[in-house]
Amino acid sequence: KGARVGIMDADLYGPSMPTMFGIQGEKPGIKQLYGKHKIIPIEKHGLHIISIGNIIDAEQAVVLRGPRLGGIIKQFINEVIWPELDYLILDLPPGTGDIQLTIVQTVPVTAAVIVTTPQIVSVRDAVKAMNMFRLESINVPIIGVVENMSWFIPDDMPDKKYPIFGEGGGKELAKMSKSVLLAQLPLITDIRKAGDSGSPIVMD
């Protein structure tokens, strides 16, 4: 649609952006600005991307306690030279931990999108994140829900749909959050292949 978009991989324990965008092994640039070293995000598919997965080795375990996690998130926000953007998307890990709290305490988050699968177990986890954003002290509007793995479509039977993770989780979460169900993503081979190959399916 022509918007200028950046994406920050805030899932420090399980950074997936390098694989999903095909930028494994690439390193963000470094630029000196006012006597301090600043980070330049990697650009791919028109997006400006920063991920700890491009800073440490791919197989390296991220073993960090709360304060250090918060420090890295603050670096990604304050020490990255983001270009002028219409949207900066923060991809958060599951849960309600140090990373989420650091973000809402560091930047004025405009809105949240909650991701779930249809099954009850997933919805119950996502509700915790939803309720964190709705706390009076945080107060981030939830603009919608995305339901992942909504149904399975076999490659050899594209007219068949199997709801192997159940049904209705996304709709239920949208109702609970007083928002809308933005999308239901099927479990199909092409989406998985695209994510693993680093060429998002929306590019095809």
Side-chain angles (χ1 to χ4, degrees), residues 62-81:
V62 179
V63 184
L64 298 169
R65 292 187 182 275
R68 189 67 191 109
L69 289 170
I72 293 171
I73 293 297
K74 287 179 180 177
Q75 275 186 299
F76 281 179
I77 293 168
N78 298 320
E79 296 179 25
V80 170
I81 304 176

Side-chain angles (χ1 to χ4, degrees), residues 3-65:
R4 297 160 297 182
V5 179
I7 188 160
M8 187 178 103
D9 191 354
D11 191 351
L12 301 184
Y13 287 132
S16 55
M17 297 292 164
T19 300
M20 297 187 79
F21 285 106
I23 53 174
Q24 307 100 311
E26 293 188 35
K27 299 291 182 186
I30 301 292
K31 182 177 181 180
Q32 195 152 7
L33 193 67
Y34 307 119
K36 291 188 176 180
H37 289 94
K38 300 287 186 178
I39 305 166
I40 301 171
I42 297 167
E43 189 174 354
K44 189 71 181 279
H45 304 305
L47 293 167
H48 301 272
I49 306 160
I50 195 73
S51 172
I52 198 170
N54 293 107
I55 295 170
I56 63 170
D57 293 334
E59 291 80 24
Q60 186 176 339
V62 179
V63 184
L64 298 169
R65 292 187 182 275

Side-chain angles (χ1 to χ4, degrees), residues 184-200:
Q184 290 177 291
L185 304 180
L187 189 64
I188 57 175
T189 304
D190 285 349
I191 292 179
R192 195 273 306 159
K193 283 182 178 176
D196 284 347
S197 68
S199 180

Side-chain angles (χ1 to χ4, degrees), residues 56-180:
I56 63 170
D57 293 334
E59 291 80 24
Q60 186 176 339
V62 179
V63 184
L64 298 169
R65 292 187 182 275
R68 189 67 191 109
L69 289 170
I72 293 171
I73 293 297
K74 287 179 180 177
Q75 275 186 299
F76 281 179
I77 293 168
N78 298 320
E79 296 179 25
V80 170
I81 304 176
W82 295 102
E84 191 172 330
L85 298 172
D86 297 303
Y87 303 102
L88 176 59
I89 297 170
L90 311 177
D91 182 25
L92 303 181
T96 55
D98 292 304
I99 290 173
Q100 286 87 340
L101 292 175
T102 297
I103 283 172
V104 296
Q105 291 166 358
T106 306
V107 292
V109 179
T110 310
V113 173
I114 308 293
V115 180
T116 186
T117 69
Q119 69 188 105
I120 293 170
V121 169
S122 180
V123 171
R124 285 182 179 163
D125 282 344
V127 164
K128 294 178 177 67
M130 175 191 81
N131 287 333
M132 180 197 73
F133 286 119
R134 295 170 73 184
L135 286 171
E136 193 174 331
S137 58
I138 294 175
N139 195 27
V140 173
I142 295 164
I143 57 171
V145 171
V146 171
E147 186 184 81
N148 202 9
M149 301 190 289
S150 297
W151 51 78
F152 168 63
I153 301 176
D155 290 344
D156 56 348
M157 292 185 289
D159 57 329
K160 297 286 187 181
K161 288 168 65 171
Y162 296 98
I164 56 176
F165 289 103
E167 295 179 274
K171 286 181 181 177
E172 181 185 348
L173 199 58
K175 185 178 177 182
M176 292 169 73
S177 62
K178 296 182 173 64
S179 66
V180 295

